[in-house]
Amino acid sequence: MIPVILSGGSGTRLWPLSRKDHPKQFLKLLSDHSLIQETLLRLRGVTEQKPIVICHESHRFKVLEHSRQINQPLEAIFLEPVARNTAPALALVALQKIALGQNDPLLVLPADHRILDVKAFQEALKVAEQHALTGALVTLGVEAEEPHTGYGYIKRGGKNGNAFRIDSFREKPDLSNARAYVESGDYYWNSGIFMFQPEAYLDELQRNEPGIVVACHKALCSLREDLQFLRINEKAYGSSPSSSIDYAVMEHTRKGVVVPVSCGWSDIGSWTSLQACSEPDSAGNVIKGKAIVEHCKNNYIRSGHRTIAAVGVENLVIVDSHDAVMVASADHVQDVGKLAKQFQDSSTISLAQQEEEIFRPWGHYKNLSVEEGYCVRKLNILPGASLSEHSHMLRSESWVVLKGQARVSVEGQVHDLGPGESINIKSQLKHRLENMGSGSLEIIETQTGLTISEEDIDRIESE
């Protein structure tokens, strides 16, 4: 089987940590690994095939860095120039595999889910593969632990070996219907995890949404390889109808099979979902980071920067990020995503989009202070990586090495710097920075000038 990781979600309901530029799959919410790293790690021992990741082109360096951190090679990273939902995204991979003469089952996984019982999950995948190899379109149905109104449901049909035929899909129900579903024993939570052969998927997609197949085929006609990235034609792909795998294929096929699984699954679709995945204290509070509480019950408090102090509050979600604090009643956390949408239409758009760390091919940086006339940021350069030779017309820069060994070239003159050493680079001078050590290189960069802009750069060589 070939793992295909869908990493296109925005996760707005986990604002203020999840942003357009840094969605929840890149957050470390439950462990020392990000959610996409957890997804990749639980595939080990399942297949020898390298995973394929599909993401928006603005997230490409994040995907590359998060896979590098866990030493997980990837077959490729498909870049979506525009979001068209999961059915077209998967069609790109299926069409490419068919063109290469490959029809191994595709294991389709969201990048941002939690699974506690990895062994049970992997056993379910073995069952799913057996059915996928017969031409079935398989999904994992999570055995419902409670009447959850935030999940879609799958109603099982007749027995099909060690699985069931799919009777129907049901939208997120109200509480009364959710209770009836769970009590009947015939319904599973819709996990959004699928497995099928490329030919089987494309046959059903052609029958129900032929426009998607046509658009994706055109988009692949000008496929361009850029390192590990696969770039497609934006205009052609943008012409595709936007539809999910569920709507475009699974709700219509007569070849649908559901494999039951109980594996501690959650889509972490809200702050209360994350709270349910965490161990509370004796008062029911889940506290992550720096917080002081007194006479508080059943709260989720997460601090990333400042200390949160709470007195006498109950059933609240309080989350602190680098530039915002969110306070919500636990009963209204499903509406948090609406805040991010409000920011999209206001002067505070950065609160919906801005990420704390900016990833580049050479590593990442973090702005520490930005004011008129200057910018201070921390650079983290990967071992063996370098910033390409460039110059700035309107600003000067100074670099101070905090950790590691740097080689700085200024107009051809080479300077080797260690911790505590620095260099000043005046505007218009060509310069280059390289990490000469075996570990990360950390530098404080101070930019000064009448105009501080990311556009003020003249690259002599490409990164």
Side-chain angles (χ1 to χ4, degrees):
M1 71 182 79
I2 302 171
V4 181
I5 312 298
L6 303 176
S7 184
S10 58
T12 56
R13 285 179 293 178
L14 290 185
W15 186 88
L17 295 190
S18 181
R19 310 287 179 97
K20 180 180 178 182
D21 294 332
H22 194 68
K24 70 172 181 173
Q25 58 265 33
F26 302 112
L27 298 175
K28 297 178 181 179
L29 297 174
L30 296 166
S31 72
D32 291 335
H33 293 117
S34 65
L35 295 180
I36 191 171
Q37 289 173 332
E38 295 279 7
T39 300
L40 291 166
L41 287 170
R42 71 175 67 103
L43 293 173
R44 294 182 177 177
V46 173
T47 176
E48 297 298 319
Q49 298 276 10
K50 295 178 183 178
I52 297 170
V53 177
I54 307 173
C55 70
H56 190 272
E57 61 180 18
S58 63
H59 298 155
R60 64 193 185 280
F61 296 128
K62 291 181 183 293
V63 170
L64 205 57
E65 174 62 12
H66 281 242
S67 62
R68 184 199 67 81
Q69 289 174 357
I70 59 171
N71 299 312
Q72 175 59 62
L74 301 176
E75 177 183 329
I77 302 173
F78 262 98
L79 303 183
E80 283 190 293
V82 291
R84 305 311 294 153
N85 215 317
T86 56
L90 188 60
L92 294 173
V93 177
L95 286 166
Q96 188 207 35
K97 288 301 177 185
I98 294 299
L100 295 173
Q102 301 174 13
N103 199 37
D104 293 336
L106 304 177
L107 167 59
V108 185
L109 298 161
D112 54 4
H113 290 183
R114 180 208 71 168
I115 293 176
L116 284 180
D117 191 340
V118 175
K119 183 177 180 181
F121 169 71
Q122 293 180 343
E123 289 298 320
L125 293 184
K126 293 177 183 178
V127 175
E129 186 177 27
Q130 294 171 8
H131 290 274
L133 288 170
T134 69
L137 284 82
V138 187
T139 186
L140 298 192
V142 178
E143 295 182 6
E145 301 170 356
E146 60 177 334
H148 204 298
T149 59
Y151 297 149
Y153 286 73
I154 302 170
K155 184 180 181 182
R156 72 184 186 192
K159 190 80 173 171
N160 185 7
N162 50 2
F164 295 89
R165 289 186 291 274
I166 294 175
D167 178 272
S168 58
F169 285 78
R170 302 296 170 89
E171 293 291 335
K172 297 175 183 178
D174 58 24
L175 185 58
S176 176
N177 281 322
R179 284 174 177 158
Y181 293 167
V182 174
E183 289 171 2
S184 74
D186 293 330
Y187 290 81
Y188 303 104
W189 288 338
N190 185 354
S191 69
I193 299 171
F194 307 97
M195 193 185 300
F196 31 64
Q197 294 171 312
E199 285 184 359
Y201 175 70
L202 291 173
D203 285 347
E204 295 292 331
L205 192 62
Q206 179 67 44
R207 184 175 297 110
N208 299 298
E209 285 280 4
I212 292 179
V213 179
V214 171
C216 290
H217 187 272
K218 289 180 179 178
L220 286 170
C221 285
S222 57
L223 182 69
R224 180 167 60 90
E225 292 188 25
D226 176 12
L227 301 176
Q228 282 188 273
F229 308 124
L230 299 181
R231 297 181 179 275
I232 60 175
N233 184 279
E234 180 176 355
K235 183 177 180 181
Y237 189 68
S239 70
S240 171
S242 178
S243 186
S244 69
I245 296 169
D246 294 75
Y247 285 126
V249 171
M250 297 303 294
E251 292 187 3
H252 305 285
T253 184
R254 296 180 179 178
K255 299 178 180 179
V257 169
V258 57
V259 174
V261 64
S262 178
C263 58
W265 171 90
S266 171
D267 71 348
I268 316 182
S270 67
W271 285 113
T272 49
S273 293
L274 188 58
Q275 182 177 8
C277 295
S278 308
E279 191 68 30
D281 63 18
S282 58
N285 298 305
V286 173
I287 299 175
K288 303 292 183 180
K290 298 176 291 184
I292 302 171
V293 299
E294 190 71 31
H295 304 302
C296 295
K297 295 180 181 179
N298 304 322
N299 301 291
Y300 183 87
I301 301 175
R302 190 181 193 100
S303 172
H305 293 262
R306 290 154 288 231
T307 298
I308 295 175
V311 180
V313 297
E314 297 183 21
N315 301 316
L316 291 183
V317 173
I318 306 172
V319 181
D320 164 62
S321 74
H322 67 288
D323 61 353
V325 177
M326 189 277 298
V327 181
S329 163
D331 295 331
H332 290 86
V333 291
Q334 295 291 343
D335 296 327
V336 169
K338 295 178 181 178
L339 294 176
K341 291 181 180 179
Q342 289 185 38
F343 294 138
Q344 294 283 6
D345 301 323
S346 72
S347 60
T348 55
I349 190 170
S350 66
L351 291 176
Q353 294 183 338
Q354 187 176 354
E355 59 186 313
E356 188 173 7
E357 293 182 334
I358 313 298
F359 283 78
R360 292 291 182 262
W362 44 262
H364 62 270
Y365 70 85
K366 175 181 178 180
N367 287 330
L368 303 178
S369 180
V370 181
E371 299 290 345
E372 185 175 353
Y374 76 88
C375 171
V376 181
R377 61 179 46 162
K378 183 179 180 181
L379 311 182
N380 191 308
I381 297 97
L382 297 171
S386 62
L387 279 68
S388 60
E389 188 175 28
H390 61 281
S391 63
H392 308 287
M393 181 64 66
L394 302 174
R395 72 173 187 254
S396 299
E397 293 178 338
S398 67
W399 288 337
V400 180
V401 177
L402 300 179
K403 177 183 177 183
Q405 298 296 318
R407 174 163 292 173
V408 181
S409 301
V410 182
E411 292 290 337
Q413 289 190 329
V414 177
H415 308 265
D416 288 329
L417 306 176
E421 296 181 309
S422 64
I423 189 169
N424 296 316
I425 305 165
K426 294 186 179 298
S427 62
Q428 303 182 42
L429 296 183
K430 292 183 291 185
H431 55 286
R432 186 175 187 270
L433 173 62
E434 185 177 1
N435 182 353
M436 301 301 294
S438 58
S440 63
L441 171 62
E442 296 181 8
I443 284 181
I444 293 294
E445 175 184 273
T446 303
Q447 305 172 3
T448 56
L450 294 176
T451 301
I452 305 297
S453 169
E454 292 297 315
E455 305 301 318
D456 178 23
I457 186 168
D458 180 20
R459 287 189 173 88
I460 287 81
E461 57 182 67
S462 61
E463 293 184 1

